[in-house]
Amino acid sequence: MKRILNLEGAINLRELGGYKTASGQQIKYNKLLRSGDISNLTPQALNYLKKYGLKYVVDFRSEREQNAWTDQNTNFYKIYSDPVYPLKGNGEKLMNAFDSQQSYLGMIYQSVLLDKYGQRAYKLFFDLLLENDQPDESLLFHCAAGKDRTGMGAILILKALGVDDETITKDYLLTNLMYSDTATIARTLNDKNGSEDINKMNMTKADLASVTSVFAAIDHYYGSFEEYLHSAFGINSKKLKKLKRIYLE
């Protein structure tokens, strides 16, 4: 099955099925999708997603972005508003206290994933991942570019499922294929009336240091990724086993 789904009206829409885990399992196909903006999906694209089994759409964008580029309502999936921003600020303080010599995106990711509001957003994401437990039903999570807020979500769920760091990084860097057409990206993702910080983030290419900095900050403040899942999102060993039952084969 294709990794990149070139559905008309979608930005950076990708299948997460097929990735291998350290245990020798793999992520099920037709269960998890990551994406950028999907407000312009054509009827043909929507029909594809209906057949795919899409039931949950998790929208990490700000309320302003959601209102300006509204996800299309359908009779086959439910949209969950789950803005990552605005942050409370404690994540930035922790990031600065740990290491401010990261890449631009790496500092943003550390700030988000250490921040209490950012963690609230991804806790809801994991709660919905656990709800998506019926066969032939799937969940899509997205932001504007499908790189940063979505990228962090992908890093978290892939790591939780046991996918190795190298594969997680390769999946994250696939976004850069979208940035070959910078004019289209700028026209689509730069909101002249929106947040300058979000515009800059959307327009910055993915880099290796962004992923490694996430894991470094989590290890520093939580000791392990498993403890981070438990403390930040309430994912204990029982829930983690359920996640793996739902998404792995």
Side-chain angles (χ1 to χ4, degrees):
M1 181 177 286
K2 290 183 178 180
R3 178 71 56 205
I4 300 172
L5 304 180
N6 293 314
L7 299 188
E8 189 173 358
I11 292 177
N12 200 14
L13 175 59
R14 309 213 302 265
E15 165 73 59
L16 288 179
Y19 284 133
K20 306 291 185 182
T21 71
S23 66
Q25 295 178 284
Q26 71 174 24
I27 298 177
K28 296 175 183 176
Y29 285 101
N30 289 70
K31 204 64 187 167
L32 271 176
L33 290 170
R34 56 172 293 173
S35 187
D37 180 80
I38 57 170
S39 63
N40 295 306
L41 290 172
T42 63
Q44 292 81 3
L46 287 168
N47 186 54
Y48 178 94
L49 292 173
K50 183 176 182 179
K51 292 179 179 179
Y52 182 94
L54 185 59
K55 298 295 181 183
Y56 298 80
V57 171
V58 183
D59 190 346
F60 291 136
R61 298 175 302 165
S62 67
E63 290 185 8
R64 189 197 175 281
E65 290 173 287
Q66 292 181 27
N67 291 330
W69 298 279
T70 305
D71 288 346
Q72 297 185 49
N73 286 309
T74 74
N75 61 1
F76 63 89
Y77 62 65
K78 182 176 179 180
I79 301 166
Y80 294 84
S81 175
D82 190 20
V84 171
Y85 295 104
L87 303 178
K88 289 186 177 295
N90 65 299
E92 184 175 1
K93 291 179 182 178
L94 291 171
M95 177 272 294
N96 285 325
F98 169 52
D99 185 356
S100 60
Q101 302 302 311
Q102 302 291 350
S103 67
Y104 165 71
L105 290 178
M107 289 189 291
I108 290 176
Y109 297 174
Q110 287 181 343
S111 297
V112 170
L113 295 176
L114 296 173
D115 187 272
K116 292 301 181 184
Y117 190 88
Q119 290 178 357
R120 178 217 59 82
Y122 290 106
K123 181 183 185 304
L124 175 58
F125 173 53
F126 271 90
D127 289 345
L128 293 170
L129 287 168
L130 286 165
E131 280 189 27
N132 181 36
D133 60 357
Q134 297 303 303
D136 303 317
E137 293 186 0
S138 59
L139 180 148
L140 180 152
F141 56 102
H142 81 96
C143 56
K147 171 173 63 72
D148 303 302
R149 292 163 285 187
T150 295
M152 286 182 273
I155 289 169
L156 293 173
I157 183 56
L158 292 177
K159 183 75 168 178
L161 293 175
V163 176
D164 65 87
D165 292 356
E166 181 180 359
T167 301
I168 291 172
T169 301
K170 287 179 179 178
D171 177 77
Y172 170 73
L173 293 175
L174 274 178
T175 290
N176 284 339
L177 295 176
M178 183 186 72
Y179 281 76
S180 58
D181 185 358
T182 55
T184 298
I185 296 304
R187 185 171 62 252
T188 306
L189 299 178
N190 261 331
D191 177 8
K192 63 180 180 180
N193 297 314
S195 165
E196 291 184 7
D197 290 336
I198 292 178
N199 283 344
K200 181 179 178 181
M201 182 176 68
N202 286 341
M203 289 303 299
T204 303
K205 286 188 176 182
D207 58 70
L208 174 62
S210 300
V211 179
T212 57
S213 66
V214 166
F215 296 142
I218 287 173
D219 286 344
H220 178 79
Y221 282 108
Y222 291 87
S224 69
F225 188 77
E226 289 73 22
E227 180 56 34
Y228 175 71
L229 288 176
H230 190 193
S231 298
F233 312 131
I235 301 297
N236 55 24
S237 58
K238 182 177 180 180
K239 289 182 178 179
L240 187 56
K241 287 179 181 178
K242 181 180 178 182
L243 271 176
K244 291 180 179 180
R245 285 199 304 270
I246 293 170
Y247 294 99
L248 298 181
E249 60 185 6

